[in-house]
Amino acid sequence: MFKFLFKYPLSTFANGHIVLLGTWPTWVLWTAIPAAAAGLALLIGSRLRQPGVGLRRPRAGAIWLLQSLLAAVLLLLLWQPAVTTTELKPQQDIILFLLDDSRSMAAREDGSTRQAQAVKALQDGALTAVEKKFQTRLYRFDSRLTRISDLKELRATAPATHIGDSLKQLVDETSDLPVGAIVLLSDGADNSGTVDLDTISALRTRHIPVHTVGFGRERSSHDIEIDEAVLGPRALADSRLAAVIRFHQRGYAGRKSRLTVRDGANVLASREVAFASDGNIQSETLLFNVGAAGAKALQFSVDMLPGEENPANNAVTRMVNVESDKRRVLYVEGEPRWDYKYIRRAEDDDRIVQLVSMLRTTENKIYRQGIQDPKELAEGFPTRPENLFPYQALVLGSVEATYFTAAQRELIREFVDRRGGGLLLLGGRFSLADGGWGVSSLADLLPVVLPDAKNTFHVDPATVELAPAGLDNYITRLVDDPAANVERWKKLPYLMDFQEPGVPKPGAAVLATMDAAGRKMPLLITENYGRGRTAVLATSGTWRWQMNLPVGDPAYGLFWQQLLRWLVTGSPGHVAASVPNQVLLDDGRVALSVEVRGEDYQPVTDAVVEAHIIGPSGISANVEMSPVPDLPGSFQAEWTAEKSGSYVTEVTAQHGDKPIGRDVLTFQRMDGIAENFHLEQNRDLLGRLAAQTGGRYWRPQDLSDLADEISFSEAGVTTRETRELWNMPVVFIAILLLRSAEWLVRRKSGIV
Amino acid sequence: MKLPRTTLLLGLSTGLLALQIGGFQRFQPPLRGSYASPGDAKHEFAWSRLRYTSLGGSFGGFGFGRGGAWSRDYPKADIVFLEALRRLTRIDARSYQQVVDLDNDDIFNFPFVYAVQVQTWTFTEAQAKRLREYLLKGGFLMVDDFHGTADWESFLRGMRMVLPADHYPISDLSDNDEIFHVLYDIGQRFQVPGEQYVMTGRTYEKDGYVPKWRAIRDDKGRIMVTICHNMHLGDAWEWADDAQYPEPFASMAFRVGIDYVMYSMTH
């Protein structure tokens, strides 16, 4: 119908520009139209003033309007309107058809696979129509691009889809060919989730439009899918970890299932979850004990529910390096206190964290515990980085800020900021505001603004309660069930004392609060500072939990072990290696990054850094790492894990002949997993790709118009076409309608 | 007048018993009239004395109330010791003692407890259980002032209700034990007699000729109970300001007591 009225298809107008071919200047047209309208208005007005003309003003206005429009149309036709388009030259340009050959295209919907639907859509005439006008080439792609001569070569078995990489490869391979357009037939289930900017930029540089044809349902009717499981890449042996699992579902809103984490066949933790509304991402935290040291591949899963369309996307795997290296915490206590004793006893049960303490028993005597040799701390609190920085965390008890020299206080700052250590300040007679910490040079390190007052420490009872930020925090998790944990905290015995902690700083997290005679205050506040982390526990009276709970109750020990483990876990060694993803899905490329710091934790720029990688089937490789420009102490290397399996990487760094340190990390390549996820058609990605390159997103049933529309492209060999519009049927119909309408008005007024 | 034999025997026994209980102590007035000052209540450390039910119930000076065996040297020994503790260490200690018993859970608020004349202590099952729990949770018990073989056996009867012998053996402390080095390095230890030494010149009582420094440990080797057998540290504290009581005994008693308290707050 459109083509009948307008002579040309809609795509001609959508892809073209309207121009006026007349030789007279355009401004004359824009002047002539109002002039004609004004002239007609004068003429009709003068006629109205003549006696005996029985025309009412509204009808006279209607006649004026219809005549003016007619005049405008006629004037426009005098200037010869036309549409110009840039079009591919028939039989000279090449149209590239890319067909997704990954396993997700084998998903069966409405009686046939997605790939069969794609083949049928092409064979139903779309491909033939394009072939009549242009040369064509067929390609299949998954993680790589391969040219095919026949659609029968498609298998839909490949384990991964990399749309961006395939397009990039295509652009590179056809750089000397007149490519007019790309037609991409896919479900959009790209394993990287996006098409990178480089690829888009390469396409735009050559003006190649990508027409995307989407297959697969845009919404599953019944499915649960895990989107992400977030947990740290490293953990200490026998630590409780908090993993945040994000998932969404369709068709099961309000239903319940079980969230489970497994280490091999061992269930580490499991709990029931109720599903929220369809399609919304839901986050749940799962706490579990990660167990003994070693590289762990933890599987997080949601139990399948009846009728689920794709059970293979209910589980994801994450790698965790569980380390058993001893972590040392230096605890400086200014006076004998019961919590000092009970904290030490709690840490006696921790195989990883060693508590080294120096206690001022008298004015002039320091009692040391947990030292490795008699010389350790013999001179008191360290004054040099090489003596303080071997500890991973520092706990300051009831000790005044002025107990430390200015240089020692600066060393404490660098311990947190540069070395990345943890710092915990406890409440006490000589702590926090009463110890002068609020006016010390270290005040900005603390997660609270301490009160500007004295006598903030009170030997009076205070009850405790979890704060919202503590609900999902593993430091404060005493029992696994979140609701039971809240109740557990409420039932803890009261604290023997408390200290006014002041106001938490923006960015600080209040994990627990206390209530002293109706006055509610933060109890445990944490914050990140520089490369490290700081915390304030505004009491020295938690020991009552140990003495007033039943024998064997783990609450006190668990709390302190978890708090100190949090304090030490993030403290890096001299060599810290990392990879962006520890689980490589169908793609073995891995980017290794290493940070190298010296004894004083200053970046070492001229280190020799090497990674020794051991993988499955005897794979062994030495990779030399290069310094990263503008990032002192950072080194990087790229490597490809060719085979599926676990890889252990030992990174060593040395300066001259002197070893700086080593680090070990693991990663795993898993094949055939990625295609189980994101099975719904990624309409968003396909639409965006088409829009960014000047193409169009197509539904399979609309492909009959593809051959016409694909012609409009600025890529390849093009020609500029000009089509006159004066003879469009719609113009004559418009003129006829305007004249007819005027005749009707005149007749109604009795002047015809 | 001829007294019946039973009356004579009863009177004689009572007299001998009274001599034993009182020992050879001279009367000591309380050090302070109002030592339980409420304004001095809020401190980290409170010296706690265990009040227990003595063998024979409340008969003749034994028993649960004030003046029972549990209160030997009370309160001056406690107060003098606390003065030394406050003077010589950084422990934030209350200046007066606390009395605790095993009939309620208040004892769990006082992780250090001192008991004397423990050859007379008796426990109900509930009391023994509470003391066992106290020790297993990290409480610390120091026993003092009992002498000789009979006292030891009597002490054990109560102690074994609390901590069974098969799981919690009693061992002798050596010079190298950390408890003698927490603050003061106490090498050569000697018998610390009670105040009776001033009149008799004997450092021992009954057949307790050799001082026994003993302990019961938990399963990690930490001392839960220190046993000062055949010595009387409490008297040494109490009479430390008596010119006739030899200074070396008092000094030893203070150093041992302070080391024990310091150990209880660090291990």
Side-chain angles (χ1 to χ4, degrees):
Chain A
M1 186 62 162
F2 185 90
K3 196 174 175 184
F4 168 73
L5 289 173
F6 291 88
K7 195 178 167 190
Y8 309 111
L10 175 63
S11 55
T12 303
F13 294 93
N15 293 287
H17 302 282
I18 302 292
V19 294
L20 299 172
L21 300 178
T23 51
W24 296 341
T26 312
W27 65 267
V28 177
L29 171 66
W30 303 128
T31 311
I33 290 173
L40 286 166
L42 286 171
L43 186 64
I44 292 170
S46 66
R47 287 285 178 87
L48 279 176
R49 283 192 293 276
Q50 288 177 3
V53 178
L55 192 64
R56 284 180 291 176
R57 279 183 177 275
R59 283 184 179 164
I63 290 170
W64 169 80
L65 182 64
L66 290 167
Q67 287 182 346
S68 297
L69 284 172
L70 183 62
V73 171
L74 293 173
L75 283 168
L76 192 62
L77 290 179
L78 284 175
W79 262 260
Q80 300 175 47
V83 59
T84 63
T85 53
T86 304
E87 296 178 28
L88 300 175
K89 270 198 165 177
Q91 305 309 325
Q92 290 194 24
D93 282 295
I94 304 173
I95 306 301
L96 308 176
F97 284 84
L98 269 70
L99 288 104
D100 189 342
D101 200 25
S102 65
R103 214 174 60 213
S104 64
M105 290 295 284
R108 185 170 284 274
E109 288 165 355
D110 305 323
S112 61
T113 65
R114 293 175 178 179
Q115 191 164 78
Q117 292 169 24
V119 170
K120 186 170 182 297
L122 290 180
Q123 288 176 337
D124 276 356
L127 184 57
T128 310
V130 174
E131 280 173 339
K132 279 181 184 168
K133 295 174 78 172
F134 307 105
Q135 300 177 53
T136 60
R137 285 189 183 189
L138 295 175
Y139 293 86
R140 57 172 289 277
F141 75 94
D142 39 67
S143 56
R144 287 175 304 183
L145 182 78
T146 311
R147 188 172 173 188
I148 55 174
S149 54
D150 197 298
L151 293 172
K152 288 176 184 165
E153 292 179 41
L154 297 170
R155 293 286 177 271
T157 53
T161 313
H162 293 151
I163 294 176
D165 291 351
S166 300
L167 286 172
K168 187 87 181 2
Q169 188 184 339
L170 189 67
V171 171
D172 292 343
E173 285 183 6
T174 61
S175 58
D176 54 351
L177 294 178
V179 176
I182 294 171
V183 181
L184 178 84
L185 295 93
S186 172
D187 54 13
D190 187 89
N191 300 131
S192 65
T194 186
V195 177
D196 63 276
L197 284 174
D198 281 353
T199 304
I200 299 289
S201 176
L203 289 163
R204 290 173 71 120
T205 303
R206 288 179 60 188
H207 305 289
I208 301 176
V210 179
H211 294 267
T212 56
V213 189
F215 294 89
R217 285 186 202 146
E218 291 180 31
R219 294 283 175 270
S220 304
S221 60
H222 288 85
D223 190 34
I224 304 163
E225 177 165 320
I226 295 190
D227 298 286
E228 185 56 292
V230 182
L231 79 165
R234 296 165 191 270
L236 299 180
D238 298 321
S239 279
R240 282 156 73 85
L241 294 188
V244 178
I245 297 108
R246 297 197 184 97
F247 54 91
H248 70 275
Q249 57 74 37
R250 292 192 190 280
Y252 297 113
R255 299 272 295 275
K256 290 180 177 174
S257 186
R258 288 201 78 75
L259 193 59
T260 305
V261 54
R262 290 182 179 83
D263 176 13
N266 290 340
V267 173
L268 301 181
S270 181
R271 72 177 175 87
E272 197 173 66
V273 288
F275 291 125
S277 54
D278 279 8
N280 282 353
I281 301 282
Q282 196 172 340
S283 280
E284 298 285 344
T285 303
L286 202 56
L287 276 103
F288 56 94
N289 190 317
V290 74
K296 306 272 175 92
L298 304 178
Q299 190 198 56
F300 298 88
S301 65
V302 180
D303 284 0
M304 193 179 113
L305 289 183
E308 201 175 336
E309 292 167 0
N310 174 25
N313 60 355
N314 287 31
V316 296
T317 301
R318 292 291 175 268
M319 293 289 292
V320 179
N321 291 337
V322 182
E323 299 166 349
S324 59
D325 305 343
K326 302 289 183 203
R327 306 299 167 101
R328 306 191 85 213
V329 177
L330 174 58
Y331 178 9
V332 182
E333 184 53 84
E335 56 180 331
R337 303 195 297 173
W338 291 119
D339 247 349
Y340 171 91
K341 161 195 178 142
Y342 289 104
I343 294 168
R344 286 204 61 82
R345 289 170 75 97
E347 291 310 311
D348 280 350
D349 296 331
D350 193 325
R351 292 186 297 112
I352 303 296
V353 176
Q354 292 182 335
L355 196 60
V356 182
S357 53
M358 44 184 294
L359 166 66
R360 292 182 72 196
T361 52
T362 73
E363 287 304 312
N364 300 308
K365 279 193 176 181
I366 288 172
Y367 180 59
R368 295 169 293 154
Q369 288 177 276
I371 52 175
Q372 282 177 332
D373 66 73
K375 287 182 182 169
E376 186 174 2
L377 301 170
E379 303 297 322
F381 188 81
T383 54
R384 300 172 63 83
E386 54 267 35
N387 294 332
L388 181 62
F389 290 4
Y391 300 102
Q392 275 80 32
L394 181 60
V395 179
L396 300 179
S398 182
V399 56
E400 308 92 329
T402 51
Y403 175 72
F404 303 96
T405 64
Q408 285 172 325
R409 287 197 294 270
E410 189 52 33
L411 196 58
I412 293 173
R413 169 196 299 285
E414 289 175 353
F415 177 79
V416 177
D417 192 13
R418 193 171 80 217
R419 186 258 178 271
L423 173 67
L424 168 65
L425 271 76
L426 307 176
R429 287 196 301 160
F430 307 117
S431 307
L432 305 181
D434 291 358
W437 289 97
V439 292
S440 78
S441 57
L442 297 182
D444 61 337
L445 235 69
L446 308 183
V448 289
V449 178
L450 295 172
D452 183 16
K454 288 290 176 188
N455 302 317
T456 58
F457 181 69
H458 309 279
V459 185
D460 289 309
T463 56
V464 296
E465 202 172 347
L466 270 186
L471 297 178
D472 282 333
N473 194 293
Y474 80 87
I475 298 174
T476 46
R477 189 58 70 93
L478 302 179
V479 289
D480 285 340
D481 179 60
N485 193 47
V486 171
E487 292 307 309
R488 184 83 168 92
W489 270 80
K490 283 181 182 169
K491 287 176 183 164
L492 284 175
Y494 64 80
L495 302 168
M496 202 55 148
D497 53 52
F498 69 92
Q499 188 157 15
E500 297 161 35
V503 182
K505 290 179 181 172
V510 177
L511 304 186
T513 59
M514 55 188 171
D515 189 319
R519 190 176 164 203
K520 205 165 186 177
M521 289 166 284
L523 168 65
L524 176 59
I525 313 104
T526 61
E527 188 182 50
N528 291 326
Y529 187 94
R531 298 178 81 213
R533 64 222 72 83
T534 61
V536 163
L537 181 70
T539 183
S540 65
T542 57
W543 63 267
R544 276 201 82 252
W545 299 350
Q546 170 65 17
M547 287 303 286
N548 285 273
L549 287 170
V551 173
D553 188 291
Y556 182 85
L558 209 53
F559 171 73
W560 276 100
Q561 286 168 13
Q562 289 171 176
L563 178 55
L564 293 193
R565 282 191 169 216
W566 170 79
L567 217 53
V568 298
T569 300
S571 303
H574 295 286
V575 176
S578 62
V579 288
N581 292 305
Q582 286 188 288
V583 177
L584 311 172
L585 296 178
D586 303 291
D587 183 355
R589 289 172 298 179
V590 59
L592 293 166
S593 299
V594 175
E595 254 194 88
V596 181
R597 303 246 168 177
E599 213 172 37
D600 55 359
Y601 277 83
Q602 296 283 11
V604 180
T605 52
D606 53 350
V608 176
V609 186
E610 198 174 73
H612 182 210
I613 303 169
I614 297 171
S617 310
I619 290 176
S620 177
N622 283 319
V623 182
E624 208 160 292
M625 304 192 68
S626 323
V628 181
D630 302 328
L631 273 177
S634 292
F635 295 79
Q636 65 183 10
E638 290 212 351
W639 190 73
T640 302
E642 296 291 354
K643 293 186 176 173
S644 176
S646 292
Y647 292 78
V648 178
T649 306
E650 184 192 26
V651 179
T652 55
Q654 60 181 50
H655 188 244
D657 294 335
K658 192 180 171 191
I660 297 173
R662 62 184 281 278
D663 193 17
V664 176
L665 66 83
T666 56
F667 57 88
Q668 187 170 29
R669 173 172 176 164
M670 299 176 79
D671 290 347
I673 302 294
E675 286 295 309
N676 297 327
F677 290 80
H678 312 301
L679 274 185
E680 292 173 345
Q681 185 194 139
N682 194 342
R683 166 81 188 261
D684 180 54
L685 182 138
L686 295 175
R688 218 165 353 105
L689 176 61
Q692 287 173 338
T693 54
R696 178 187 151 187
Y697 170 81
W698 296 78
R699 291 183 304 166
Q701 58 268 36
D702 299 332
L703 281 185
S704 55
D705 295 333
L706 179 69
D708 285 337
E709 186 148 339
I710 213 167
S711 304
F712 302 105
S713 169
E714 293 181 5
V717 182
T718 59
T719 175
R720 187 167 286 272
E721 294 287 334
T722 302
R723 294 180 173 89
E724 293 194 334
L725 301 178
W726 68 270
N727 54 356
M728 288 191 301
V730 71
V731 174
F732 298 104
I733 293 168
I735 291 170
L736 199 62
L737 285 174
L738 288 169
R739 289 302 295 162
S740 303
E742 186 189 341
W743 181 84
L744 279 172
V745 175
R746 284 173 181 270
R747 179 158 182 82
K748 277 256 181 190
S749 306
I751 54 173
V752 176
Chain B
M1 184 179 70
K2 189 178 176 185
L3 290 169
R5 191 178 297 169
T6 358
T7 313
L8 266 175
L9 277 172
L10 192 62
L12 190 60
S13 309
T14 310
L16 284 170
L17 206 56
L19 281 173
Q20 283 291 92
I21 302 306
F24 297 92
Q25 281 194 315
R26 290 176 289 173
F27 172 73
Q28 276 285 338
L31 195 68
R32 292 177 192 172
S34 58
Y35 48 79
S37 158
D40 190 32
K42 296 178 178 179
H43 293 272
E44 180 75 10
F45 179 82
W47 173 269
S48 311
R49 181 179 279 253
L50 184 67
R51 179 169 56 192
Y52 53 82
T53 306
S54 290
L55 191 67
S58 59
F59 175 71
F62 290 81
F64 194 74
R66 176 73 191 271
W70 66 269
S71 63
R72 171 72 70 91
D73 313 319
Y74 170 90
K76 189 191 168 190
D78 312 52
I79 293 166
V80 172
F81 177 76
L82 280 168
E83 284 189 352
L85 191 72
R86 286 158 62 96
R87 167 69 183 82
L88 298 170
T89 74
R90 282 179 63 86
I91 295 174
D92 175 32
R94 204 170 78 181
S95 62
Y96 61 95
Q97 73 294 335
Q98 173 76 29
V99 176
V100 295
D101 59 46
L102 296 168
D103 293 325
N104 61 57
D105 287 341
D106 196 36
I107 190 172
F108 294 113
N109 294 322
F110 301 93
F112 178 95
V113 67
Y114 174 68
V116 297
Q117 291 282 291
V118 286
Q119 79 278 12
T120 72
W121 67 8
T122 61
F123 301 120
T124 64
E125 283 297 335
Q127 289 171 331
K129 178 171 177 281
R130 183 168 279 119
L131 185 53
R132 178 167 56 250
E133 289 177 356
Y134 172 85
L135 296 170
L136 295 179
K137 286 179 190 178
F140 188 92
L141 171 65
M142 173 182 178
V143 297
D144 180 29
D145 185 20
F146 64 115
H147 310 267
T149 313
D151 282 7
W152 178 256
E153 293 303 324
S154 191
F155 156 74
L156 279 185
R157 274 194 290 278
M159 194 72 246
R160 288 314 177 196
M161 281 182 75
V162 177
L163 297 173
D166 50 348
H167 280 91
Y168 301 100
I170 295 172
S171 58
D172 287 322
L173 290 169
S174 72
D175 288 350
N176 293 328
D177 265 305
E178 186 62 18
I179 198 165
F180 293 124
H181 304 279
V182 184
L183 181 59
Y184 297 111
D185 287 319
I186 305 172
Q188 290 292 316
R189 293 184 307 280
F190 44 77
Q191 193 166 36
V192 177
E195 187 270 343
Q196 47 81 21
Y197 175 85
V198 174
M199 286 186 289
T200 65
R202 280 192 285 114
T203 58
Y204 64 91
E205 294 177 42
K206 304 178 189 171
D207 61 344
Y209 309 114
V210 180
K212 298 291 185 186
W213 309 85
R214 288 172 166 162
I216 303 175
R217 299 170 189 269
D218 66 12
D219 54 5
K220 288 193 166 61
R222 298 173 298 218
I223 295 171
M224 297 186 287
V225 182
T226 51
I227 303 164
C228 302
H229 182 222
N230 296 338
M231 64 190 89
H232 196 166
L233 303 181
D235 241 13
W237 301 330
E238 185 183 15
W239 296 98
D241 59 352
D242 186 333
Q244 296 177 60
Y245 188 78
E247 178 276 332
F249 296 143
S251 291
M252 174 62 77
F254 279 120
R255 282 187 289 148
V256 168
I258 289 173
D259 266 358
Y260 281 11
V261 169
M262 204 62 88
Y263 182 93
S264 80
M265 297 186 83
T266 52
H267 288 77

